[in-house]
Amino acid sequence: MAAGTTISGQDGVIKLGGASEVPMLTDWAFDAKSDIKTLDTRVMKSNADGGSAAAGGFDKKTLGSRGASFNFTHQWQENDAAGAMALIRTTAVGSMLTFELYPNNTTSGKRKLAGSAYISAVGDSATVDGVVTQKVSCEVDGAWTDTALA
């Protein structure tokens, strides 16, 4: 079995609202999650079932809903014409947008995560001796896809 391949994120791309790319992207993360519920299987001593002395008492797991979120950081741009900047200003919080996340470029054979999401948070950050950055957090709405590019 092959050991796998190390992939650098330096060629990552995010497209929002169709074709607009997030400018000056420095990092992003996509987190899929599943709500796993625990059912307590312990019972009282009734109907001759043994109650607490009976074997068992192990938790029973059931699948709840699935969901995902993603966030990214980029170098903030003053001009709305720079890629997707017009879609991710601080006033865009609560807006719905479509997304495409490419971990390693947008060429054939690479992978893409895609779907729709609400912008849940936008934060700008600046320091005297640093670059002005912006962090955007999104909550995925419904199902998403994780596919190879043809």
Side-chain angles (χ1 to χ4, degrees), residues 1-5:
M1 182 164 92
T5 304

Side-chain angles (χ1 to χ4, degrees), residues 46-97:
S46 60
N47 299 320
D49 60 15
S52 62
F58 293 99
D59 290 340
K60 168 71 177 153
K61 303 294 183 181
T62 63
L63 180 61
S65 61
R66 293 184 290 172
S69 62
F70 70 93
N71 61 66
F72 57 89
T73 305
H74 66 105
Q75 294 178 7
W76 180 82
Q77 304 293 303
E78 290 183 322
N79 189 333
D80 279 351
M85 281 307 301
L87 299 173
I88 51 177
R89 295 290 178 198
T90 56
T91 53
V93 171
S95 298
M96 169 80 79
L97 49 74

